[in-house]
Coordinates of all heavy atoms in Angstrom, one line a residue:
M5 N 346.0 206.6 130.0 CA 344.7 206.0 130.1 C 343.7 206.7 129.1 O 343.8 207.9 128.8 CB 344.1 206.1 131.5 CG 342.7 205.5 131.6 SD 342.0 205.7 133.3 CE 342.9 204.6 134.2
R6 N 342.9 206.0 128.5 CA 341.9 206.5 127.5 C 340.9 207.5 128.3 O 340.6 207.3 129.3 CB 341.0 205.3 126.9 CG 341.8 204.5 125.9 CD 340.9 203.4 125.4 NE 339.6 203.8 125.0 CZ 339.3 203.9 123.8 NH1 340.1 203.6 122.8 NH2 338.0 204.4 123.4
L7 N 340.5 208.5 127.6 CA 339.6 209.5 128.2 C 338.3 208.9 128.6 O 337.9 209.2 129.8 CB 339.3 210.6 127.1 CG 338.4 211.7 127.6 CD1 338.9 212.4 128.8 CD2 338.2 212.7 126.4
D8 N 337.7 208.0 127.8 CA 336.3 207.5 128.2 C 336.5 206.7 129.5 O 335.6 206.7 130.4 CB 335.7 206.8 127.0 CG 336.5 205.6 126.5 OD1 337.8 205.4 126.8 OD2 336.0 204.8 125.7
K9 N 337.7 205.8 129.6 CA 337.8 205.1 130.8 C 338.0 205.9 132.0 O 337.6 205.7 133.1 CB 338.9 204.1 130.6 CG 339.0 203.1 131.6 CD 340.0 202.0 131.4 CE 340.1 201.0 132.6 NZ 340.9 199.9 132.4
Y10 N 338.9 207.0 131.8 CA 339.1 207.8 133.0 C 337.9 208.5 133.5 O 337.7 208.5 134.7 CB 340.1 208.9 132.6 CG 340.4 209.9 133.7 CD1 341.3 209.4 134.7 CD2 339.8 211.1 133.8 CE1 341.5 210.4 135.8 CE2 340.0 211.9 134.9 CZ 340.9 211.5 135.9 OH 341.1 212.3 137.0
L11 N 337.0 208.9 132.6 CA 335.7 209.6 133.0 C 335.0 208.6 133.9 O 334.2 208.9 134.8 CB 334.9 210.1 131.9 CG 335.6 211.3 131.1 CD1 334.9 211.6 129.8 CD2 335.7 212.6 131.9
K12 N 334.9 207.3 133.5 CA 334.2 206.3 134.1 C 334.9 205.9 135.5 O 334.2 206.0 136.6 CB 334.0 205.0 133.5 CG 333.4 203.9 134.1 CD 333.6 202.5 133.5 CE 333.1 201.4 134.3 NZ 333.8 201.1 135.5
V13 N 336.2 205.8 135.6 CA 336.8 205.4 136.8 C 336.7 206.5 137.8 O 336.6 206.3 139.0 CB 338.3 205.1 136.5 CG1 339.2 204.9 137.8 CG2 338.4 203.7 135.8
S14 N 336.9 207.9 137.4 CA 336.9 209.0 138.2 C 335.4 209.3 138.6 O 335.2 210.2 139.5 CB 337.4 210.1 137.7 OG 336.7 210.6 136.5
R15 N 334.4 208.6 138.0 CA 333.0 208.8 138.2 C 332.5 210.2 137.9 O 331.5 210.7 138.5 CB 332.6 208.4 139.6 CG 333.1 207.0 140.0 CD 332.3 206.4 141.0 NE 332.5 204.9 141.3 CZ 333.5 204.2 141.4 NH1 334.7 204.7 141.0 NH2 333.5 203.0 141.8
L16 N 333.2 210.9 137.0 CA 332.6 212.1 136.4 C 331.5 211.8 135.5 O 330.5 212.6 135.5 CB 333.7 212.9 135.6 CG 334.8 213.5 136.5 CD1 335.9 213.9 135.5 CD2 334.2 214.8 137.1
I17 N 331.5 210.6 134.8 CA 330.4 210.2 134.1 C 330.3 208.7 134.5 O 331.1 207.9 134.7 CB 330.7 210.3 132.6 CG1 330.8 211.7 132.1 CG2 329.5 209.6 131.7 CD1 331.1 211.9 130.6
K18 N 328.9 208.4 134.7 CA 328.6 207.0 135.4 C 329.1 205.8 134.5 O 329.7 204.8 135.0 CB 327.2 206.9 135.7 CG 326.8 207.6 136.9 CD 325.4 207.1 137.4 CE 325.2 208.0 138.6 NZ 323.9 207.5 139.4
R19 N 328.8 205.8 133.2 CA 329.1 204.6 132.3 C 330.0 205.0 131.1 O 330.0 206.1 130.7 CB 327.9 204.1 131.9 CG 327.0 203.3 132.8 CD 325.8 202.9 132.3 NE 325.0 204.1 131.9 CZ 323.7 204.2 131.8 NH1 322.9 203.3 132.1 NH2 323.2 205.4 131.5
R20 N 330.8 204.0 130.8 CA 331.8 204.3 129.7 C 331.1 204.5 128.4 O 331.6 205.4 127.6 CB 332.7 203.1 129.7 CG 334.0 203.3 128.8 CD 335.0 202.2 129.0 NE 336.1 202.3 128.0 CZ 337.1 201.6 128.0 NH1 337.1 200.6 128.9 NH2 338.1 201.8 127.1
T21 N 329.9 203.8 128.1 CA 329.3 204.1 126.9 C 328.8 205.5 126.9 O 328.8 206.2 125.7 CB 328.2 203.1 126.7 OG1 327.3 203.2 127.8 CG2 328.7 201.7 126.5
V22 N 328.3 206.1 127.9 CA 327.8 207.4 128.0 C 329.0 208.4 127.8 O 329.0 209.4 127.1 CB 327.1 207.7 129.3 CG1 326.6 209.1 129.5 CG2 325.8 206.8 129.4
A23 N 330.1 208.1 128.2 CA 331.3 208.9 128.2 C 331.8 208.9 126.8 O 332.2 209.9 126.2 CB 332.5 208.3 129.1
N24 N 331.7 207.7 126.1 CA 332.0 207.5 124.8 C 331.2 208.4 123.9 O 331.7 209.1 122.9 CB 332.0 206.0 124.3 CG 333.0 205.7 123.4 OD1 333.4 206.3 122.5 ND2 333.5 204.4 123.5
E25 N 329.8 208.5 124.2 CA 329.0 209.2 123.3 C 329.1 210.8 123.5 O 329.1 211.5 122.6 CB 327.5 208.8 123.7 CG 327.1 207.4 123.3 CD 325.7 206.9 123.9 OE1 325.1 207.7 124.7 OE2 325.4 205.8 123.6
A26 N 329.5 211.2 124.8 CA 329.8 212.6 125.0 C 331.0 212.9 124.2 O 330.9 214.1 123.7 CB 329.9 212.8 126.5
C27 N 332.0 212.2 124.1 CA 333.2 212.5 123.4 C 332.9 212.6 121.9 O 333.4 213.5 121.2 CB 334.3 211.5 123.6 SG 334.9 211.4 125.3
D28 N 332.1 211.6 121.4 CA 331.7 211.6 120.0 C 330.8 212.9 119.6 O 331.0 213.3 118.5 CB 331.0 210.4 119.6 CG 331.8 209.1 119.6 OD1 333.2 209.3 119.6 OD2 331.3 208.0 119.7
A29 N 330.2 213.4 120.5 CA 329.4 214.5 120.3 C 330.1 215.9 120.4 O 329.5 217.0 120.2 CB 328.1 214.5 121.3
G30 N 331.4 215.8 120.8 CA 332.2 217.0 120.9 C 331.9 217.8 122.2 O 332.4 218.9 122.3
R31 N 331.4 217.2 123.4 CA 331.1 217.8 124.6 C 332.2 217.7 125.5 O 332.1 218.3 126.6 CB 329.9 217.3 125.2 CG 328.6 217.6 124.3 CD 327.3 217.2 124.9 NE 327.4 215.9 125.4 CZ 326.5 215.0 125.2 NH1 325.4 215.4 124.7 NH2 326.6 213.8 125.6
V32 N 333.4 217.1 125.2 CA 334.4 216.8 126.2 C 335.7 217.5 125.5 O 336.0 217.2 124.3 CB 334.7 215.4 126.4 CG1 335.9 215.2 127.4 CG2 333.5 214.8 127.0
M33 N 336.3 218.3 126.3 CA 337.7 218.9 125.8 C 338.8 218.6 126.8 O 338.6 218.7 128.0 CB 337.4 220.5 125.6 CG 336.4 220.8 124.6 SD 336.4 222.4 124.0 CE 336.8 223.4 125.5
I34 N 340.0 218.3 126.3 CA 341.1 218.3 127.1 C 342.1 219.5 126.8 O 342.4 219.6 125.6 CB 341.9 217.0 126.8 CG1 341.0 215.7 127.1 CG2 343.3 216.9 127.6 CD1 341.7 214.4 126.9
N35 N 342.5 220.2 127.7 CA 343.3 221.5 127.6 C 342.8 222.3 126.4 O 343.6 222.8 125.6 CB 344.7 221.0 127.2 CG 345.3 220.1 128.4 OD1 345.1 220.4 129.6 ND2 346.2 219.1 128.1
G36 N 341.6 222.5 126.3 CA 341.0 223.5 125.4 C 340.7 222.9 124.0 O 340.3 223.6 123.1
K37 N 341.0 221.6 123.8 CA 340.9 221.1 122.4 C 339.8 219.9 122.5 O 339.8 219.1 123.5 CB 342.2 220.5 122.0 CG 343.2 221.5 121.7 CD 344.5 220.9 121.3 CE 345.5 221.9 121.2 NZ 346.9 221.2 121.0
T38 N 338.9 219.9 121.6 CA 338.0 218.8 121.6 C 338.6 217.5 121.5 O 339.6 217.3 120.7 CB 337.0 218.9 120.3 OG1 336.5 220.3 120.3 CG2 335.9 218.0 120.4
A39 N 338.2 216.5 122.3 CA 338.9 215.2 122.5 C 338.0 214.0 122.1 O 336.8 214.0 122.3 CB 339.4 215.1 123.9
K40 N 338.7 213.0 121.4 CA 337.9 211.9 121.2 C 338.1 210.8 122.4 O 338.9 211.1 123.3 CB 338.6 211.2 120.0 CG 338.4 212.0 118.6 CD 338.9 211.2 117.4 CE 338.8 212.2 116.3 NZ 338.1 211.6 115.3
A41 N 337.2 209.8 122.4 CA 337.2 208.9 123.5 C 338.6 208.2 123.7 O 339.0 207.8 124.8 CB 336.2 207.8 123.3
G42 N 339.5 208.0 122.5 CA 340.7 207.3 122.8 C 341.8 208.2 123.2 O 343.0 207.8 123.2
A43 N 341.6 209.4 123.4 CA 342.6 210.5 123.7 C 343.3 210.1 125.0 O 342.6 209.6 125.9 CB 342.1 211.9 123.8
E44 N 344.5 210.2 125.1 CA 345.2 209.9 126.4 C 345.2 211.0 127.5 O 345.2 212.1 127.0 CB 346.8 209.7 126.1 CG 347.1 208.3 125.3 CD 346.9 207.2 126.3 OE1 347.2 207.2 127.5 OE2 346.2 206.3 125.8
V45 N 344.9 210.6 128.7 CA 344.8 211.5 129.7 C 346.0 211.2 130.7 O 346.3 210.1 131.0 CB 343.5 211.2 130.6 CG1 343.3 212.1 131.8 CG2 342.3 211.4 129.6
K46 N 346.6 212.3 131.2 CA 347.7 212.2 132.2 C 347.5 213.3 133.2 O 346.6 214.2 133.1 CB 349.1 212.4 131.4 CG 349.1 213.6 130.6 CD 350.4 213.6 129.9 CE 350.5 214.9 129.0 NZ 349.5 215.2 128.1
A47 N 348.2 213.2 134.4 CA 348.1 214.0 135.5 C 348.5 215.5 135.0 O 349.5 215.6 134.1 CB 349.0 213.6 136.5
G48 N 347.8 216.4 135.4 CA 348.0 217.9 135.0 C 347.1 218.3 133.8 O 347.0 219.5 133.6
D49 N 346.4 217.4 133.1 CA 345.5 217.7 132.1 C 344.2 218.4 132.6 O 343.8 218.1 133.8 CB 345.0 216.6 131.3 CG 346.1 216.2 130.3 OD1 347.0 216.8 130.1 OD2 345.9 214.9 129.7
V50 N 343.6 219.4 131.9 CA 342.4 220.0 132.2 C 341.3 219.5 131.4 O 341.3 219.6 130.2 CB 342.5 221.5 132.2 CG1 341.1 222.3 132.5 CG2 343.5 222.1 133.1
I51 N 340.3 218.9 132.0 CA 339.2 218.3 131.2 C 338.0 219.1 131.4 O 337.7 219.5 132.6 CB 338.8 216.9 131.7 CG1 340.1 215.9 131.4 CG2 337.6 216.3 130.9 CD1 339.9 214.5 132.0
E52 N 337.2 219.4 130.3 CA 336.0 220.3 130.4 C 334.8 219.4 129.8 O 335.0 219.0 128.7 CB 336.2 221.6 129.6 CG 335.3 222.6 129.9 CD 335.6 224.0 129.5 OE1 336.8 224.2 129.2 OE2 334.8 224.9 129.4
I53 N 333.7 219.3 130.5 CA 332.6 218.6 130.0 C 331.4 219.3 130.0 O 331.2 220.1 131.0 CB 332.5 217.2 131.0 CG1 333.7 216.5 131.2 CG2 331.3 216.2 130.4 CD1 333.7 215.5 132.3
G54 N 330.6 219.3 128.9 CA 329.4 220.0 128.8 C 328.3 219.1 129.1 O 328.0 218.2 128.4
F55 N 327.6 219.4 130.2 CA 326.3 218.6 130.6 C 325.2 219.6 130.4 O 324.7 220.3 131.2 CB 326.4 218.3 132.1 CG 327.3 217.3 132.4 CD1 328.5 217.5 133.2 CD2 327.2 216.0 132.1 CE1 329.5 216.7 133.6 CE2 328.2 215.0 132.4 CZ 329.2 215.4 133.2
G56 N 324.6 219.6 129.1 CA 323.4 220.5 128.9 C 323.8 221.9 128.9 O 324.7 222.3 128.1
T57 N 323.3 222.5 129.9 CA 323.6 224.1 130.0 C 324.8 224.3 131.1 O 325.2 225.4 131.2 CB 322.4 224.8 130.6 OG1 322.0 224.2 131.9 CG2 321.2 224.6 129.6
R58 N 325.2 223.1 131.6 CA 326.2 223.3 132.8 C 327.6 222.8 132.2 O 327.6 221.7 131.6 CB 325.8 222.5 134.0 CG 326.5 222.9 135.2 CD 325.9 222.2 136.4 NE 326.8 221.2 136.7 CZ 326.7 219.9 137.0 NH1 325.4 219.4 137.0 NH2 327.6 219.0 137.3
N59 N 328.6 223.5 132.4 CA 330.0 223.0 132.1 C 330.7 222.7 133.4 O 330.7 223.4 134.4 CB 330.8 224.1 131.4 CG 330.4 224.2 129.9 OD1 329.7 223.3 129.5 ND2 331.1 225.0 129.1
V60 N 331.4 221.6 133.4 CA 332.3 221.1 134.5 C 333.7 221.1 134.0 O 334.1 220.5 133.0 CB 331.8 219.7 134.9 CG1 332.8 219.2 136.0 CG2 330.4 219.6 135.4
K61 N 334.5 221.7 134.9 CA 335.9 221.8 134.5 C 336.8 221.2 135.7 O 336.7 221.7 136.8 CB 336.4 223.3 134.3 CG 337.6 223.5 133.6 CD 337.9 225.0 133.2 CE 339.0 225.2 132.4 NZ 339.3 226.6 132.0
V62 N 337.5 220.3 135.4 CA 338.5 219.7 136.4 C 339.8 219.4 136.0 O 340.2 219.4 134.7 CB 337.9 218.2 136.7 CG1 336.4 218.2 137.3 CG2 337.9 217.2 135.5
E63 N 340.7 219.4 136.9 CA 342.1 219.2 136.7 C 342.4 217.7 137.1 O 342.1 217.2 138.2 CB 343.0 220.2 137.5 CG 344.5 219.7 137.2 CD 345.4 220.7 138.0 OE1 344.9 221.6 138.7 OE2 346.6 220.5 138.0
V64 N 343.1 217.0 136.2 CA 343.4 215.5 136.6 C 344.7 215.6 137.6 O 345.7 216.1 137.2 CB 343.9 214.8 135.3 CG1 344.3 213.3 135.6 CG2 342.7 214.8 134.3
L65 N 344.5 215.0 138.7 CA 345.5 214.9 139.6 C 346.3 213.6 139.6 O 347.4 213.5 139.9 CB 345.0 215.0 141.1 CG 344.3 216.4 141.4 CD1 343.7 216.5 142.9 CD2 345.3 217.5 141.2
D66 N 345.4 212.4 139.3 CA 346.0 211.1 139.3 C 345.3 210.3 138.3 O 344.1 210.4 138.1 CB 346.0 210.5 140.8 CG 346.8 209.2 140.9 OD1 347.7 209.0 140.1 OD2 346.6 208.5 141.8
V67 N 346.0 209.3 137.8 CA 345.4 208.4 136.8 C 345.6 206.9 137.4 O 346.6 206.5 137.7 CB 346.0 208.4 135.5 CG1 345.5 207.4 134.6 CG2 345.8 209.8 134.9
Q68 N 344.5 206.2 137.7 CA 344.5 204.8 138.1 C 343.7 204.0 137.3 O 342.6 204.4 136.9 CB 344.1 204.8 139.6 CG 345.0 205.5 140.5 CD 344.4 205.5 142.0 OE1 343.5 204.9 142.3 NE2 345.2 206.2 142.8
E69 N 343.9 202.7 137.2 CA 343.1 201.7 136.4 C 341.8 201.5 137.1 O 340.7 201.4 136.5 CB 343.8 200.5 136.2 CG 344.9 200.6 135.2 CD 344.5 201.0 133.8 OE1 343.5 200.4 133.3 OE2 345.1 201.8 133.2
T70 N 341.7 201.3 138.4 CA 340.6 201.1 139.2 C 340.7 201.9 140.5 O 341.9 202.2 141.0 CB 340.5 199.6 139.5 OG1 341.5 199.1 140.3 CG2 340.2 198.7 138.3
T71 N 339.6 202.2 141.2 CA 339.5 202.8 142.4 C 338.2 202.7 143.1 O 337.2 202.3 142.5 CB 339.8 204.4 142.2 OG1 339.9 204.9 143.5 CG2 338.7 205.1 141.4
R72 N 338.3 202.8 144.4 CA 337.0 202.6 145.1 C 336.2 203.9 145.0 O 336.8 204.9 144.7 CB 337.2 202.4 146.6 CG 338.0 201.0 146.9 CD 338.1 200.6 148.3 NE 337.7 201.7 149.3 CZ 338.6 202.1 150.2 NH1 339.7 201.7 150.2 NH2 338.1 203.0 151.1
K73 N 334.8 203.7 145.2 CA 333.9 204.9 144.9 C 334.4 206.1 145.9 O 334.4 207.2 145.5 CB 332.6 204.4 145.4 CG 331.5 205.5 145.1 CD 330.1 204.9 145.3 CE 329.0 205.9 145.1 NZ 327.7 205.4 145.3
E74 N 334.8 205.7 147.0 CA 335.2 206.8 148.1 C 336.4 207.5 147.6 O 336.5 208.7 148.0 CB 335.3 206.2 149.5 CG 334.2 205.5 150.1 CD 334.0 204.1 149.6 OE1 335.0 203.4 149.3 OE2 332.9 203.7 149.4
D75 N 337.3 206.9 147.0 CA 338.5 207.4 146.6 C 338.6 208.1 145.3 O 339.5 208.7 144.8 CB 339.7 206.3 146.6 CG 339.9 205.8 148.0 OD1 339.5 206.5 149.0 OD2 340.3 204.7 148.0
A76 N 337.5 208.0 144.5 CA 337.4 208.5 143.2 C 337.5 210.0 143.1 O 338.1 210.6 142.1 CB 336.0 208.1 142.5
K77 N 337.1 210.7 144.0 CA 337.1 212.1 144.1 C 338.5 212.7 144.3 O 338.8 213.9 144.0 CB 336.1 212.7 145.1 CG 336.4 212.3 146.6 CD 335.4 212.9 147.4 CE 335.4 212.3 148.9 NZ 334.8 211.0 149.0
E78 N 339.5 211.8 144.7 CA 340.8 212.2 144.8 C 341.6 212.2 143.4 O 342.8 212.6 143.4 CB 341.5 211.3 145.9 CG 340.9 211.5 147.2 CD 341.4 210.5 148.3 OE1 342.4 209.8 147.9 OE2 340.8 210.5 149.3
L79 N 341.0 211.7 142.4 CA 341.6 211.6 141.1 C 341.5 213.0 140.4 O 342.5 213.1 139.4 CB 340.9 210.5 140.2 CG 341.0 209.1 140.7 CD1 340.3 208.2 139.8 CD2 342.6 208.6 140.9
F80 N 340.7 213.9 140.8 CA 340.5 215.1 140.0 C 340.3 216.2 141.1 O 339.9 216.0 142.3 CB 339.6 215.1 138.9 CG 338.2 214.8 139.6 CD1 337.3 215.8 139.8 CD2 337.7 213.4 139.7 CE1 336.0 215.6 140.4 CE2 336.4 213.1 140.2 CZ 335.6 214.1 140.5
R81 N 340.3 217.5 140.5 CA 340.0 218.7 141.3 C 339.1 219.6 140.5 O 339.6 219.8 139.4 CB 341.3 219.4 141.8 CG 341.1 220.7 142.5 CD 342.5 221.2 142.9 NE 343.6 221.4 142.0 CZ 343.7 222.6 141.4 NH1 343.2 223.7 141.8 NH2 344.7 222.7 140.6
Y82 N 338.0 220.1 141.1 CA 337.2 221.0 140.4 C 337.9 222.4 140.2 O 338.5 222.8 141.1 CB 335.8 221.1 141.1 CG 335.0 220.0 140.9 CD1 334.8 219.1 142.0 CD2 334.2 219.8 139.8 CE1 333.8 218.1 141.8 CE2 333.4 218.7 139.6 CZ 333.4 217.8 140.7 OH 332.5 216.7 140.6
L83 N 337.7 222.9 139.1 CA 338.3 224.4 138.8 C 337.2 225.4 138.7 O 336.0 225.0 138.5 CB 339.2 224.4 137.5 CG 340.3 223.4 137.5 CD1 340.9 223.5 136.1 CD2 341.3 223.9 138.5

């Protein structure tokens, strides 16, 4: 799955366009490397997102095309 879509589906970032802009600005990393919006995400990857002064680091547990809001938090685990 594309990185920008995963960030939206997992609700780490609310909208796909915002996720796309964050990737273009270089604020999103997969496994320690700066990632573009089209980068592939798979289970086991570690995603790091820079939100201003705060960094969020999560491990991808599952990849799904769609999910309910209540189940979105089961797609990743905070590190």
Side-chain angles (χ1 to χ4, degrees):
M5 176 185 288
R6 288 175 53 100
L7 175 60
D8 57 347
K9 186 169 183 183
Y10 179 80
L11 293 173
K12 179 198 171 287
V13 170
S14 66
R15 301 203 173 42
L16 285 166
I17 296 180
K18 283 191 178 189
R19 286 175 299 209
R20 191 165 174 180
T21 54
V22 176
N24 217 320
E25 291 167 3
C27 293
D28 290 344
R31 293 187 307 228
V32 182
M33 299 191 330
I34 297 179
N35 298 326
K37 297 178 188 164
T38 305
K40 296 187 183 229
E44 284 295 312
V45 175
K46 58 189 178 306
D49 285 347
V50 175
I51 299 175
E52 202 169 336
I53 309 166
F55 290 111
T57 59
R58 204 175 103 225
N59 275 358
V60 175
K61 195 171 186 179
V62 297
E63 179 185 357
V64 178
L65 298 177
D66 193 13
V67 177
Q68 295 178 2
E69 289 296 317
T70 59
T71 185
R72 292 190 352 240
K73 186 177 182 180
E74 300 81 32
D75 299 334
K77 59 183 168 283
E78 296 172 10
L79 296 178
F80 61 90
R81 173 173 61 98
Y82 286 104
L83 299 176

